[in-house]
Amino acid sequence: MDKKLGVYICSGCTIGESVDTEKLAKVAKREGKPAACQVHPFLCGQEGVEMIRADLSTGAVDSVVIAACSPRMKTEAFALDPQMILERVNLREHVVWCHPPGDEATQMLAEDYLRMGVVKALKSEKLEPLSDPVSKKMLVVGGGIAGITAALEAAAAGYEVALVEKQAQLGGFIATVQKRFPGQAPYTDLVEGGIAGKIQEVLYHPQIQVFTSARIAKMEGQPGMFDVTVQTNGASSSLRVGAVIMATGWKPYDAKKLRHLGYGQSPDVISNVELERLAAKGPVLRPSNGQPVKSVLFVQCAGSRDKDHLPYCSSVCCMASLKHAAYIRKQNPNARVYIVYKDMRTPGQYEKFYRTIQDHPLNFLTKGEVASVEKAPNGELAVTILGTPLGEDIIVHADLVVLATGMVPNSADGEALRALENAEQKVNKGESESQKAEAARRVEELQYHKGTEILNLSYRQGPDLPVLRYGFPDSHFVCFPYETRRTGIYAAGAVRTPMDSTHAQEDALGATMKAIQCVELASRGLAVHPRAGDLSVPSFFLQRCTQCKRCTEECPFGALDEDEKGTPKPHPYRCRRCGICLGACPERIVSFKNYSVDIIASMIKAIEVPEEDEEKPRVLVFMCENDAYPALDIAGRRRLRYDPSVRVVPLRCLGSMNIVWIADALSRGIDGVMLIGCKYGDDYQCHFVRGSELANRRLENVKETLERLQLESERLHLTQLAINEFEKLPALIDGFVGRLREIGPNPYKGI
Amino acid sequence: MIENAKPILVIGGGIAGLTTAIEAAEAGCSVILIEKSPFLGGRVIRSYQYFPKLCPPSCGLEINFKRIKNNSRITALTLAELEKLIGTPGDFEATVKVHPRHVKESCTLCDACAKACPIDRPDEFNYGLSRTKAAYLPHGMAYPALYVIDRSACKEGCKACADACTYGAVDLNQQVERKTFQVAAVVAATGWAPYDAAKIDNLGFGKHSNVVTNVLLERLAAPDGPTGGKILRPSDGMEPPSVAFVQCAGSRDENHLPYCSAVCCAASLKQATYIRALYPNAKITIFYIDIRTAGRLEDFYVRVTADEKIELVKGKVSKVEEEPGTGDLFVTAEDVLSAKKTARKFSLVVLATGIVPQTKGLPAGFDLDEFRFISNGSGKAGLYGAGCVRRPEEVSATVQDATGAALKALQCVARSARHG
Amino acid sequence: MSDALLLHPDIDFIQSVMASGGEDLKKCMQCGTCSAVCALAPEDAAFPRKQMFEAQWGLKDRLVADPAIWLCHNCGDCTSYCPRGARPGDVFTALRRQAIEHFAYPRFMGRIVANPKALIALFLAAALVFWTVALWAPKSGPTPGLEFANVFPIPVLEALFFSLSGLVLVAFGAGLARFAKALKTSGAGVNLPAGLGAVLVEIGTHARFSKCGKNENQRLGHLLAFWGFLGLAFMGTAVGIGTMAGLVRTPLALGNPWKIFANFSAVVALAGCLILLLGRIRDPEKRAASAYFDWFFLLTLTGVVMTGIFSELLRLTQATRVMYGIYFVHLVLIFVLFLSAPYSKFAHLLYRTVAMGVMKTAKAQK
């Protein structure tokens, strides 16, 4: 389609004094043949914006290039039609604020950026939102305190809910406890479980459909249109839901693994969950002889904070044991209760409950490490405790020992299950014997995942949510605790991270909110976090697809499935618009209407590369638009100076970098290419999880090809940069350009 | 479903308020977000890094600000506070007092006003460790990206900034404005303030210049902070070869804050990594009662304490005294596990001060517990607390809580939309 | 783990400590603030944190034999800085009382003094004694004017008090012997003579007291009371022996240097007592929230010196026979003070001396 382009150049904020804006206008006219091209001294001011609006309203212009400040600035002023093509050229932060005014190099930089902006606008196409019918029904998996809360809260917000519980009754763990420790003021007294009422509410709620003794046999589709098959003893029903809340809770760590603490050695050594069960039935008696309990010792961190068992802290055990101390106290005012802890962890207002329990004359709390639990001659249990505040090791006798065992998430490792499946296939039809053997070994090692499936997603990347360490599903992000790698599926409660019932209820609220948000955005055809509201979706030109499976493997969000041949089957509602598929594809068949291999390649072509003898190197810099690009803006605002021979191309994510661009750049005589993206590794900061890591891997491959072309691999460089490391940027850039000057100009110049 | 229904009022533009506002808006609610300071980002924007990932808060805030820019449903008012709230759940009337910024939307950050301004004043963003002009940008990533003029600091009749601004963005005659909004629900995300360490008379803050607080250390560590990211002793600008962290400085203490502030343990471990990253030979000692790194934060605790230059001592510090002349500090504590009491010398002492909920001036209807944190559930329907104003908690727990609060508010909106 | 110590909490001990002034004992969370803030606690054997643990866990045998509880001068720094309000200072007061009662000889006396009701009996007994003396004791021929001797013949009093002192000394001896034995079994080396000199100097100057952060004038009060009573005790004994040997004839003339010294001591002692009393009453934080045990001792002490001064003044005025009544009270108080000495707070005089000696020898051995 033929665009009516309007190019508007601002000469304010010292742009006019630093570069020749009239010359810029000429460049724009030559490159873009714009229907309108104006220079204005104060473009973001009322008059400037009116000028643009006027051109749009008369229809003289339908696509706009604004050459002024950073696209991160003045977004309110330049908020025109969201579907219209609007390209911002960053003349202020990236040109005039960080390069000498009136300098030729500065002028060339500005002209290149303008050309790049114009060509991008010309190549982009108008966006239309997705508009499929969307179900807003919620699926809640798990009928414990978190699941029940999620179901009720979603219903209270006006949404239909389906609740799936594997047990015959709802209620989960909380339904089995005598009391709960106080999550609310005054924090001193135990409170009722209070779940029975909620269960009734759920069962009789007109908007909540309950499946008990049920499992999910299959789930396919995408946000707004998940098709779920639920099996309840024999019968199977299918539903369509819009989003999923996974509240499958936790299971206690297996106390049988704690023989060193006497479990299994004496019937009088029990776990905290077993104590809970006993207490629910009536007064707690000594398992060995049915006598009333006169003294109890609680061993904290039994199997938690222990590299041989659960390396993490289970968060709830301290409060739980304090609660259990209250149980014992209630049934026997004269019982001696000992609690041996590594660190007493009662954060926030919980500290008051700790104080309340501690105050009783017959409650004995101490720091220490329990070394052994053995039978004492008198029939009691002798507990040896090391490292006490007494400065010596002590032995305490008790007739019941309770191990405060920790929480293990009821999750399934989707990626491991997928790996297992792959391996199993290889065992049969692997190419070589060695490969088959390797596969067999892999199967062996992943075997224990078999049958753990919960969601049974028909996703190419596995049947369940990917997990972080220790089997807890997403999120890895501090700022975005509900960030998930499976769009539309949100974990809630103790499955997400160890937490008590109060926090689980609150967590259910949050996860439900995200699920609601997901279906609401889907219903408007918009992307969810982090590119919330993005209208663009990738399209795949499948005729040219070679079934290399790179896109389907590399998509961090499992948005792409495969047919049996390996051709990608996109699910736009799962897509997070990062463009990693675009970067992965060697055939360049993936494109967004406003972001494609061709668009970026054309921007690179728009860069004028001076002849070799001019000794003006040209350096292409691909920058993550989320962190590195803002960092360069801040550098500009602080008027930091750096070499003007760089040309920055912002990318949605470094992972969307297609190596073709590097080839294009180098073949055009550009002297080097720099990639600046987010930190990767264990503490990755990439908003799309693996973007910068993938870019780095691709870069390694390109470097090999370079060598073959007699090009120095030093011409390519990737750096990880956090948004607050702006002050490092000038040194980084100048350093790289300096190295290129040493290497000498790109031999392909002018060919 | 809730198109053109009544909006939600969110009080406080810190990470909790931002989250509540954005999450609700992306689900389709309209939101009025009011913040009393001239910028959004609250306490977290003042921090250098988050634990356990040691990543910069500005990274998440950049995304959140982008989400606000792309979302017409959010009206963010800075320098604004709630003056009056009347009405019933689903149908409140809120009167918001907006203080003059004296700089209009047309500000382009050109910095001309600041250059022209003759006055300089303590920079509260850096807890007074640096100074700004009376016409200033609150900080490097300030959103909204507009300068502010602190009239209280101005010279009588001075209008240098107004004359300097070529965009007519300075308006020294701006007056206090009152706006009223009909809102369906109110979320208080007014956050926390650090406990006033000067009240802890035995720990020497305010008496000895090399005793700093954990929030101050965040600014010292930040690249955009007063020292450009170098952690230096206030007294003589020396790079501290030895640093003591005093845990529970005011927290878990009936003479100060009886509750545990929950974040200080992980925060001090994090700050220990700042110092270790800057000064490879620096020795660090953390004096604690209990190390409280719950859940998966345990990994962080293990990782940090694996550094042999970071030592943990179980024992609460009772005294911090300055060595005359050197500015070094003697820290007295008993190592509880060995029953040895020592007065050890350090060149810098960091007090891990706690979290004080900011509930003063909240409208009636919010129920406060004995520590003045908001208790949800027991208060008036339609009013919810979110984040550290409810309980001391770290950032991701705050965001989680704020997202939940957004749902409670959304329910009110939905209900009021259904019933009229 | 054979070397590990088998702990079996002595519940009764915990409860009696909590009942006798240490009711906040259990609030302690072992943070160590108290030991760190205490000016008197030595670095290598810091207190009171560890003793708080032992008390919480009811380890009576260790505590009563622990010199540390006597090294505490109850200046209250620990209590005012304790983040949990566990009031270690008060707990230590209670522990000292427990120790005195524990080592008391004969035991029943310990219990009587410890028990307010039984104490009334003690006073009645004393009253009875002097009533009897007043009524039936043979008087040497009437002297002109009002003289105490007319009602309370000097020889009788002499006999009475010297024998009483004898008993008291025996009781003290036995108690201290038990204490020393306990110290030995607890491993503390007792070699009094070695440290005694230094200890006496320290006591004489109240050097340790002066280290106390808070409670400044407590030191002054204690110092005055201490020296005042030492003076009076010395005079009492000297004059007693003198009269028996017929060297002195009481009452002494006002101008007599001995008399002047005695009166001076009395005034000093009174000043000391009043300062201590006021300190206890005024104290806003009730830092040294004193148990009954404390009050009893301090009040008897003050009573003794006040009634003494009173009766002397009345005798000098020769105005009224009321002076006999006052003197009677004076005698009763002295009697009770003496009799209860090994079991009341009075005993700290000796226990603390021994404890300090132990610490000194411990240091010497290092």
Side-chain angles (χ1 to χ4, degrees), chain B residues 221-376:
Chain B
D224 63 343
T227 53
K230 289 233 143 270
I231 295 174
L232 305 169
R233 299 214 308 186
S235 71
D236 53 11
M238 176 179 82
E239 298 183 352
S242 61
V243 181
F245 285 88
V246 177
Q247 296 309 105
C248 297
S251 301
R252 299 183 68 185
D253 188 335
E254 293 184 345
N255 308 314
H256 303 282
L257 306 173
Y259 52 85
C260 159
S261 292
V263 301
C264 326
C265 284
S268 292
L269 289 167
K270 173 191 72 174
Q271 296 185 334
T273 68
Y274 295 172
I275 295 159
R276 297 290 295 114
L278 282 171
Y279 312 126
N281 299 319
K283 286 203 173 54
I284 290 161
T285 307
I286 301 176
F287 295 90
Y288 70 97
I289 304 172
D290 295 285
I291 288 291
R292 292 181 167 177
T293 46
R296 284 185 270 153
L297 281 176
E298 187 69 10
D299 284 350
F300 184 60
Y301 166 60
V302 171
R303 196 168 88 217
V304 174
T305 50
D307 179 339
E308 84 286 343
K309 285 206 160 65
I310 296 177
E311 175 199 19
L312 271 71
V313 174
K314 181 175 168 66
K316 194 175 192 288
V317 171
S318 73
K319 253 183 264 154
V320 178
E321 294 150 311
E322 192 171 53
E323 181 179 59
T326 64
D328 289 346
L329 301 147
F330 287 104
V331 174
T332 309
E334 181 196 16
D335 177 348
V336 167
L337 298 179
S338 70
K340 294 265 177 298
K341 163 179 162 181
T342 54
R344 291 168 55 182
K345 200 162 144 185
F346 295 91
S347 53
L348 182 70
V349 169
V350 183
L351 305 183
T353 53
I355 280 177
V356 181
Q358 296 302 286
T359 42
K360 218 197 256 111
L362 281 179
F366 284 98
D367 185 33
L368 304 186
D369 70 16
E370 63 183 287
F371 311 115
R372 308 201 58 74
F373 287 95
I374 293 175
S375 328
N376 278 356

Side-chain angles (χ1 to χ4, degrees), chain A residues 336 338 351 354-355 358-366 384 386 389-390 392-397, chain C residues 1 4-9 11 14 18 26-30 49-50 53-54 56-57 59 62 84:
Chain A
R336 276 171 287 121
Y338 306 90
E351 184 74 7
Y354 167 29
R355 258 152 56 208
Q358 187 196 6
D359 279 358
H360 193 283
L362 301 190
N363 289 348
F364 304 93
L365 283 63
T366 182
T384 307
L386 313 181
L390 201 53
E392 51 199 303
D393 304 336
I394 60 175
I395 298 174
V396 174
H397 284 186
Chain C
M1 282 308 142
L5 163 89
L6 176 61
L7 289 196
H8 191 81
I11 308 295
I14 297 171
M18 291 179 80
K26 276 288 179 167
K27 294 182 178 164
C28 167
M29 62 171 164
Q30 288 290 298
R49 195 267 315 154
K50 189 167 173 227
F53 183 95
E54 291 168 337
Q56 285 184 314
W57 285 64
L59 309 184
R62 291 176 153 234
R84 272 282 212 261

Side-chain angles (χ1 to χ4, degrees), chain A residues 202-218:
Chain A
V202 168
L203 290 174
Y204 297 109
H205 201 297
Q207 280 165 276
I208 304 176
Q209 178 185 14
V210 179
F211 300 88
T212 48
S213 315
R215 62 177 282 271
I216 295 167
K218 192 157 186 281

Side-chain angles (χ1 to χ4, degrees), chain A residues 100-139:
Chain A
D103 189 83
E104 185 199 10
T106 312
Q107 180 71 23
M108 291 171 98
L109 178 61
E111 289 175 10
D112 275 350
Y113 277 151
L114 186 59
R115 278 190 209 90
M116 292 158 81
V118 166
V119 73
K120 181 164 187 217
L122 289 172
K123 291 268 182 177
S124 300
E125 288 169 50
K126 218 166 187 300
L127 303 170
E128 290 101 25
L130 299 164
S131 56
D132 310 68
V134 156
S135 159
K136 293 186 177 180
K137 187 171 185 169
M138 300 290 153
L139 172 67

Side-chain angles (χ1 to χ4, degrees), chain A residues 536-550:
Chain A
S536 68
V537 279
S539 64
F540 294 71
F541 186 67
L542 293 176
Q543 288 90 318
R544 284 220 319 271
C545 174
T546 60
Q547 285 97 13
C548 72
K549 299 186 184 175
R550 290 208 183 99

Side-chain angles (χ1 to χ4, degrees), chain C residues 346-363:
Chain C
F346 201 121
H348 80 282
L349 182 68
L350 288 161
Y351 283 98
R352 177 166 289 159
T353 313
V354 173
M356 285 162 78
V358 170
M359 293 316 286
K360 283 266 182 295
T361 39
K363 270 214 185 61

